Amino acid sequence: MSAFINTLRKNVELLSQPLAEEIEYTSPREKDLPNVARLKELMDLIKTIIFPGYFGIAGKNYKTREYYTGVHIEKLYSLLEEQIDNGLHFFTDDGEEPALPSSSTLALAFIDRLPEIKRLLFTDVKAVFDGDPAARNYGEVIFCYPAIQAMIHYRVAHTLLRLGVPVIPRIITELAHSQTGIDIHPGARIGEYFSIDHGTGVVIGETCRIGNHVRIYQGVTLGAKSFTLDERGNPLNVPRHPILEDNVIVYSNSTILGRITIGHDSIIGGNIWQTNSVPPYSRILQRKAVATSFMDGSGI
Protein backbone atom coordinates (compact mmCIF):
# COMPACT_ATOMS: atom_id res chain seq x y z
CA MET A 1 0.00 0.00 0.00
CA SER A 2 2.84 2.42 0.80
CA ALA A 3 4.24 2.03 -2.73
CA PHE A 4 0.78 2.82 -4.09
CA ILE A 5 0.42 5.96 -1.96
CA ASN A 6 3.96 7.11 -2.67
CA THR A 7 3.50 6.72 -6.42
CA LEU A 8 0.30 8.76 -6.37
CA ARG A 9 1.79 11.48 -4.15
CA LYS A 10 4.95 11.72 -6.24
CA ASN A 11 3.06 12.17 -9.48
CA VAL A 12 0.52 14.57 -7.99
CA GLU A 13 3.44 16.74 -6.89
CA LEU A 14 5.17 16.51 -10.28
CA LEU A 15 2.03 17.24 -12.28
CA SER A 16 1.09 20.16 -10.06
CA GLN A 17 4.30 22.01 -10.91
CA PRO A 18 4.04 23.98 -14.18
CA LEU A 19 6.67 23.26 -16.80
CA ALA A 20 8.77 26.14 -18.08
CA GLU A 21 7.11 25.60 -21.47
CA GLU A 22 3.68 25.73 -19.86
CA ILE A 23 4.42 29.13 -18.35
CA GLU A 24 5.77 30.34 -21.69
CA TYR A 25 2.77 29.10 -23.71
CA THR A 26 0.07 30.47 -21.40
CA SER A 27 1.00 33.18 -18.92
CA PRO A 28 -0.12 32.37 -15.36
CA ARG A 29 -3.15 34.40 -14.31
CA GLU A 30 -6.30 34.19 -12.26
CA LYS A 31 -8.63 34.58 -15.23
CA ASP A 32 -10.43 31.49 -16.52
CA LEU A 33 -9.49 30.02 -19.88
CA PRO A 34 -12.02 29.81 -22.70
CA ASN A 35 -14.36 26.90 -22.01
CA VAL A 36 -15.01 24.45 -24.86
CA ALA A 37 -18.22 23.11 -23.32
CA ARG A 38 -19.58 26.65 -22.94
CA LEU A 39 -18.64 27.44 -26.53
CA LYS A 40 -20.53 24.35 -27.72
CA GLU A 41 -23.54 25.64 -25.79
CA LEU A 42 -23.04 29.04 -27.42
CA MET A 43 -23.04 27.50 -30.90
CA ASP A 44 -26.19 25.52 -30.13
CA LEU A 45 -27.88 28.78 -29.16
CA ILE A 46 -26.79 30.47 -32.38
CA LYS A 47 -28.12 27.54 -34.44
CA THR A 48 -31.45 27.84 -32.62
CA ILE A 49 -31.62 31.59 -33.33
CA ILE A 50 -30.65 31.32 -37.00
CA PHE A 51 -32.65 28.19 -37.86
CA PRO A 52 -35.72 28.32 -35.57
CA GLY A 53 -37.47 24.98 -35.24
CA TYR A 54 -34.57 22.98 -36.67
CA PHE A 55 -32.34 23.23 -33.62
CA GLY A 56 -33.64 23.64 -30.09
CA ILE A 57 -37.15 23.05 -28.81
CA ALA A 58 -38.97 26.21 -29.89
CA GLY A 59 -39.19 28.80 -32.62
CA LYS A 60 -41.15 27.09 -35.39
CA ASN A 61 -44.31 28.93 -34.38
CA TYR A 62 -44.10 32.45 -35.82
CA LYS A 63 -46.42 33.77 -33.11
CA THR A 64 -44.00 32.91 -30.31
CA ARG A 65 -40.71 33.25 -32.21
CA GLU A 66 -39.99 36.79 -31.03
CA TYR A 67 -40.35 35.74 -27.39
CA TYR A 68 -38.05 32.72 -27.68
CA THR A 69 -35.57 34.63 -29.81
CA GLY A 70 -35.37 37.27 -27.10
CA VAL A 71 -34.72 34.62 -24.46
CA HIS A 72 -32.02 33.00 -26.59
CA ILE A 73 -30.35 36.32 -27.45
CA GLU A 74 -30.17 37.30 -23.79
CA LYS A 75 -28.53 33.98 -22.90
CA LEU A 76 -26.24 34.24 -25.92
CA TYR A 77 -25.03 37.66 -24.83
CA SER A 78 -24.20 36.37 -21.35
CA LEU A 79 -22.28 33.35 -22.67
CA LEU A 80 -20.51 35.32 -25.36
CA GLU A 81 -19.46 38.15 -23.06
CA GLU A 82 -18.03 35.63 -20.60
CA GLN A 83 -16.08 33.66 -23.19
CA ILE A 84 -14.81 36.73 -25.04
CA ASP A 85 -13.55 38.09 -21.73
CA ASN A 86 -11.67 34.84 -21.13
CA GLY A 87 -10.28 34.99 -24.65
CA LEU A 88 -9.12 38.59 -24.29
CA HIS A 89 -6.99 37.62 -21.30
CA PHE A 90 -5.67 34.42 -22.85
CA PHE A 91 -2.28 35.86 -23.87
CA THR A 92 -2.01 38.64 -21.33
CA ASP A 93 -0.16 38.70 -18.02
CA ASP A 94 -1.90 39.56 -14.77
CA GLY A 95 -2.65 43.25 -14.62
CA GLU A 96 -2.11 43.82 -18.33
CA GLU A 97 -5.18 45.32 -19.96
CA PRO A 98 -6.15 44.15 -23.44
CA ALA A 99 -5.95 46.84 -26.11
CA LEU A 100 -9.27 45.69 -27.60
CA PRO A 101 -12.75 46.96 -26.72
CA SER A 102 -14.45 45.41 -23.70
CA SER A 103 -15.98 41.95 -23.90
CA SER A 104 -19.40 43.54 -23.47
CA THR A 105 -18.87 45.86 -26.45
CA LEU A 106 -17.61 42.98 -28.61
CA ALA A 107 -20.50 40.71 -27.62
CA LEU A 108 -23.02 43.39 -28.58
CA ALA A 109 -21.18 44.05 -31.86
CA PHE A 110 -21.40 40.36 -32.70
CA ILE A 111 -25.13 40.20 -31.92
CA ASP A 112 -25.60 43.23 -34.17
CA ARG A 113 -24.11 41.15 -37.02
CA LEU A 114 -26.28 38.06 -36.48
CA PRO A 115 -28.90 39.08 -39.10
CA GLU A 116 -26.17 39.25 -41.77
CA ILE A 117 -24.76 35.89 -40.64
CA LYS A 118 -28.26 34.43 -40.99
CA ARG A 119 -28.66 35.90 -44.48
CA LEU A 120 -25.33 34.46 -45.63
CA LEU A 121 -26.09 31.02 -44.20
CA PHE A 122 -29.40 30.85 -46.03
CA THR A 123 -27.53 31.56 -49.28
CA ASP A 124 -25.25 28.63 -48.41
CA VAL A 125 -28.28 26.39 -47.82
CA LYS A 126 -29.67 27.32 -51.24
CA ALA A 127 -26.29 26.73 -52.92
CA VAL A 128 -26.00 23.25 -51.38
CA PHE A 129 -29.59 22.39 -52.34
CA ASP A 130 -29.21 23.67 -55.90
CA GLY A 131 -26.00 21.68 -56.34
CA ASP A 132 -27.28 18.31 -55.11
CA PRO A 133 -30.21 16.52 -56.79
CA ALA A 134 -30.21 14.05 -53.87
CA ALA A 135 -31.47 16.79 -51.54
CA ARG A 136 -35.26 16.62 -51.27
CA ASN A 137 -35.82 20.01 -49.64
CA TYR A 138 -34.05 22.83 -47.82
CA GLY A 139 -34.87 21.35 -44.42
CA GLU A 140 -32.96 18.20 -45.26
CA VAL A 141 -29.93 20.32 -46.12
CA ILE A 142 -30.14 22.21 -42.81
CA PHE A 143 -30.58 19.05 -40.74
CA CYS A 144 -28.23 16.63 -42.45
CA TYR A 145 -25.49 18.22 -44.53
CA PRO A 146 -22.09 18.61 -42.85
CA ALA A 147 -21.28 21.59 -45.08
CA ILE A 148 -23.99 23.64 -43.35
CA GLN A 149 -22.70 22.68 -39.90
CA ALA A 150 -19.20 23.72 -40.94
CA MET A 151 -20.41 26.97 -42.46
CA ILE A 152 -22.42 27.93 -39.36
CA HIS A 153 -19.27 27.60 -37.30
CA TYR A 154 -17.11 29.31 -39.90
CA ARG A 155 -19.37 32.34 -40.39
CA VAL A 156 -19.70 32.85 -36.64
CA ALA A 157 -15.96 32.42 -36.10
CA HIS A 158 -15.05 34.68 -39.02
CA THR A 159 -17.27 37.45 -37.66
CA LEU A 160 -15.68 37.19 -34.22
CA LEU A 161 -12.21 37.21 -35.76
CA ARG A 162 -12.99 40.33 -37.77
CA LEU A 163 -14.11 42.00 -34.55
CA GLY A 164 -10.67 41.23 -33.08
CA VAL A 165 -11.64 38.43 -30.69
CA PRO A 166 -8.64 36.13 -30.08
CA VAL A 167 -8.60 32.33 -29.64
CA ILE A 168 -12.40 31.84 -29.56
CA PRO A 169 -12.79 31.76 -33.38
CA ARG A 170 -10.23 28.95 -33.72
CA ILE A 171 -11.95 26.87 -31.06
CA ILE A 172 -15.31 27.32 -32.80
CA THR A 173 -14.04 26.22 -36.23
CA GLU A 174 -12.17 23.28 -34.71
CA LEU A 175 -15.43 22.13 -33.12
CA ALA A 176 -16.87 21.85 -36.63
CA HIS A 177 -13.66 20.27 -37.94
CA SER A 178 -13.89 17.46 -35.41
CA GLN A 179 -17.57 16.88 -36.23
CA THR A 180 -17.50 17.10 -40.02
CA GLY A 181 -13.92 16.60 -41.23
CA ILE A 182 -14.14 20.05 -42.87
CA ASP A 183 -11.28 22.33 -41.79
CA ILE A 184 -11.96 26.02 -42.51
CA HIS A 185 -9.71 28.61 -40.90
CA PRO A 186 -11.79 31.51 -39.53
CA GLY A 187 -9.51 33.97 -41.31
CA ALA A 188 -10.56 32.78 -44.77
CA ARG A 189 -12.95 35.10 -46.61
CA ILE A 190 -15.85 33.28 -48.27
CA GLY A 191 -18.58 34.94 -50.30
CA GLU A 192 -22.28 34.19 -50.72
CA TYR A 193 -23.82 30.94 -51.98
CA PHE A 194 -20.87 28.76 -51.00
CA SER A 195 -21.32 24.99 -51.11
CA ILE A 196 -19.25 21.96 -50.21
CA ASP A 197 -20.48 18.61 -51.52
CA HIS A 198 -19.88 15.69 -49.13
CA GLY A 199 -17.12 17.68 -47.46
CA THR A 200 -14.87 15.17 -45.71
CA GLY A 201 -11.21 16.12 -45.99
CA VAL A 202 -11.75 19.70 -47.19
CA VAL A 203 -9.06 22.17 -46.03
CA ILE A 204 -9.37 25.95 -46.53
CA GLY A 205 -6.40 27.99 -45.33
CA GLU A 206 -6.33 31.23 -43.39
CA THR A 207 -5.63 33.68 -46.22
CA CYS A 208 -7.92 32.10 -48.83
CA ARG A 209 -10.24 34.45 -50.68
CA ILE A 210 -13.32 32.79 -52.15
CA GLY A 211 -15.90 34.62 -54.25
CA ASN A 212 -19.62 34.09 -54.70
CA HIS A 213 -21.30 30.94 -56.04
CA VAL A 214 -18.22 28.75 -55.53
CA ARG A 215 -18.62 24.98 -55.14
CA ILE A 216 -15.98 22.52 -53.96
CA TYR A 217 -16.08 18.78 -53.39
CA GLN A 218 -14.66 16.37 -50.83
CA GLY A 219 -10.94 16.15 -50.34
CA VAL A 220 -10.16 19.59 -51.79
CA THR A 221 -7.19 21.43 -50.27
CA LEU A 222 -6.78 25.19 -50.65
CA GLY A 223 -3.39 25.44 -49.02
CA ALA A 224 -0.02 27.15 -48.89
CA LYS A 225 2.82 26.14 -51.18
CA SER A 226 5.58 27.50 -48.94
CA PHE A 227 6.14 29.83 -46.01
CA THR A 228 7.93 33.18 -45.86
CA LEU A 229 10.25 33.21 -42.83
CA ASP A 230 11.46 36.08 -40.68
CA GLU A 231 15.08 36.59 -39.59
CA ARG A 232 14.57 34.11 -36.75
CA GLY A 233 13.24 31.41 -39.05
CA ASN A 234 9.63 31.74 -37.92
CA PRO A 235 6.87 31.71 -40.57
CA LEU A 236 5.32 35.12 -41.35
CA ASN A 237 1.57 35.48 -41.54
CA VAL A 238 1.37 36.80 -45.11
CA PRO A 239 -1.08 35.93 -47.93
CA ARG A 240 -0.13 32.41 -49.00
CA HIS A 241 -3.37 30.65 -49.95
CA PRO A 242 -5.36 30.66 -53.22
CA ILE A 243 -7.92 33.15 -54.50
CA LEU A 244 -11.00 31.57 -56.09
CA GLU A 245 -13.07 34.07 -58.02
CA ASP A 246 -16.85 33.86 -58.57
CA ASN A 247 -18.52 30.75 -60.03
CA VAL A 248 -15.52 28.45 -59.64
CA ILE A 249 -15.99 24.68 -59.23
CA VAL A 250 -13.26 22.47 -57.77
CA TYR A 251 -13.86 18.73 -57.99
CA SER A 252 -12.85 16.08 -55.48
CA ASN A 253 -9.33 15.53 -54.17
CA SER A 254 -7.80 18.45 -56.02
CA THR A 255 -5.05 20.47 -54.38
CA ILE A 256 -4.58 24.18 -55.10
CA LEU A 257 -1.52 25.69 -53.44
CA GLY A 258 0.02 29.12 -53.05
CA ARG A 259 -1.13 32.68 -53.60
CA ILE A 260 -2.53 31.99 -57.05
CA THR A 261 -5.81 33.03 -58.64
CA ILE A 262 -8.37 30.73 -60.18
CA GLY A 263 -10.25 33.01 -62.54
CA HIS A 264 -14.03 33.29 -62.42
CA ASP A 265 -16.21 30.65 -64.08
CA SER A 266 -13.34 28.14 -64.10
CA ILE A 267 -13.55 24.40 -63.45
CA ILE A 268 -10.77 22.46 -61.75
CA GLY A 269 -11.26 18.74 -62.35
CA GLY A 270 -10.70 15.96 -59.85
CA ASN A 271 -7.25 14.92 -58.61
CA ILE A 272 -5.51 18.03 -59.96
CA TRP A 273 -2.34 19.53 -58.46
CA GLN A 274 -2.52 23.25 -59.24
CA THR A 275 0.23 25.75 -58.34
CA ASN A 276 -0.21 28.32 -61.12
CA SER A 277 -2.90 30.94 -61.72
CA VAL A 278 -5.42 30.32 -64.48
CA PRO A 279 -7.54 32.89 -66.35
CA PRO A 280 -11.34 33.09 -66.26
CA TYR A 281 -13.33 30.31 -67.98
CA SER A 282 -10.46 27.83 -67.67
CA ARG A 283 -11.01 24.06 -67.71
CA ILE A 284 -8.21 22.21 -65.94
CA LEU A 285 -8.53 18.44 -66.35
CA GLN A 286 -6.31 15.38 -66.15
CA ARG A 287 -4.45 14.99 -69.42
CA LYS A 288 -5.04 11.28 -69.88
CA ALA A 289 -7.16 8.63 -68.26
CA VAL A 290 -5.39 5.44 -67.26
CA ALA A 291 -7.18 2.32 -68.52
CA THR A 292 -6.61 -1.07 -66.89
CA SER A 293 -7.89 -4.53 -67.66
CA PHE A 294 -7.98 -7.86 -65.87
CA MET A 295 -5.80 -10.67 -67.21
CA ASP A 296 -7.91 -13.37 -65.60
CA GLY A 297 -11.60 -13.39 -64.89
CA SER A 298 -14.17 -10.84 -65.90
CA GLY A 299 -13.24 -8.12 -63.43
CA ILE A 300 -15.41 -6.65 -60.72
Side-chain angles (χ1 to χ4, degrees):
M1 180 63 71
S2 60
F4 170 77
I5 296 295
N6 289 337
T7 298
L8 292 186
R9 285 177 174 172
K10 178 187 71 174
N11 285 285
V12 165
E13 181 179 354
L14 289 172
L15 292 169
S16 298
Q17 300 301 315
L19 298 173
E21 292 85 356
E22 183 179 352
I23 295 172
E24 178 185 356
Y25 295 164
T26 54
S27 300
R29 63 213 175 290
E30 296 299 323
K31 289 294 299 181
D32 291 331
L33 294 170
N35 186 295
V36 174
R38 298 281 275 175
L39 288 170
K40 288 180 180 177
E41 184 181 355
L42 183 148
M43 288 307 304
D44 287 340
L45 270 175
I46 291 174
K47 291 176 186 178
T48 301
I49 293 166
I50 289 175
F51 297 107
Y54 290 95
F55 304 99
I57 59 174
K60 189 71 173 177
N61 188 330
Y62 292 108
K63 295 180 181 179
T64 60
R65 178 177 293 182
E66 185 173 355
Y67 166 77
Y68 284 107
T69 300
V71 171
H72 295 322
I73 287 284
E74 184 177 7
K75 187 174 182 181
L76 173 63
Y77 168 78
S78 177
L79 273 172
L80 191 58
E81 193 273 337
E82 169 194 89
Q83 291 306 304
I84 290 176
D85 189 58
N86 293 344
L88 289 175
H89 292 85
F90 186 67
F91 289 117
T92 59
D93 296 323
D94 289 337
E96 181 183 341
E97 290 297 324
L100 293 170
S102 70
S103 55
S104 174
T105 299
L106 291 169
L108 285 174
F110 173 83
I111 288 172
D112 206 33
R113 287 159 174 77
L114 267 177
E116 175 62 9
I117 293 174
K118 179 173 181 175
R119 185 192 71 80
L120 287 169
L121 284 169
F122 271 84
T123 72
D124 299 331
V125 170
K126 179 168 174 53
V128 171
F129 177 79
D130 290 346
D132 188 358
R136 297 293 179 262
N137 51 57
Y138 294 112
E140 183 178 341
V141 171
I142 295 169
F143 272 130
C144 305
Y145 280 56
I148 298 306
Q149 300 303 314
M151 289 305 293
I152 293 170
H153 285 72
Y154 158 74
R155 295 213 184 271
V156 167
H158 180 71
T159 300
L160 289 170
L161 189 70
R162 294 295 298 272
L163 289 170
V165 176
V167 181
I168 303 297
R170 286 303 304 273
I171 297 174
I172 289 173
T173 52
E174 289 304 322
L175 288 173
H177 183 195
S178 65
Q179 294 169 7
T180 66
I182 299 170
D183 183 2
I184 308 176
H185 193 286
R189 297 189 182 185
I190 301 176
E192 302 175 350
Y193 297 95
F194 179 68
S195 68
I196 305 173
D197 202 348
H198 302 293
T200 306
V202 165
V203 177
I204 301 176
E206 178 186 14
T207 62
C208 278
R209 300 294 179 263
I210 298 175
N212 300 323
H213 298 277
V214 170
R215 183 163 80 247
I216 64 177
Y217 286 77
Q218 69 273 14
V220 167
T221 296
L222 305 179
K225 184 179 178 181
S226 60
F227 303 115
T228 302
L229 305 179
D230 64 16
E231 63 277 4
R232 297 181 180 179
N234 297 317
L236 292 171
N237 190 7
V238 296
R240 60 198 179 277
H241 299 102
I243 299 169
L244 274 57
E245 295 183 342
D246 296 346
N247 303 307
V248 167
I249 300 174
V250 184
Y251 283 99
S252 58
N253 299 314
S254 284
T255 298
I256 304 175
L257 299 181
R259 192 57 166 186
I260 63 174
T261 298
I262 306 300
H264 63 80
D265 297 280
S266 291
I267 295 176
I268 307 296
N271 298 298
I272 298 294
W273 180 274
Q274 189 69 33
T275 57
N276 299 106
S277 295
V278 298
Y281 301 102
S282 295
R283 300 291 184 268
I284 309 299
L285 306 173
Q286 289 193 39
R287 294 180 182 274
K288 183 180 179 180
V290 178
T292 59
S293 61
F294 290 89
M295 297 300 295
D296 299 305
S298 59
I300 297 174

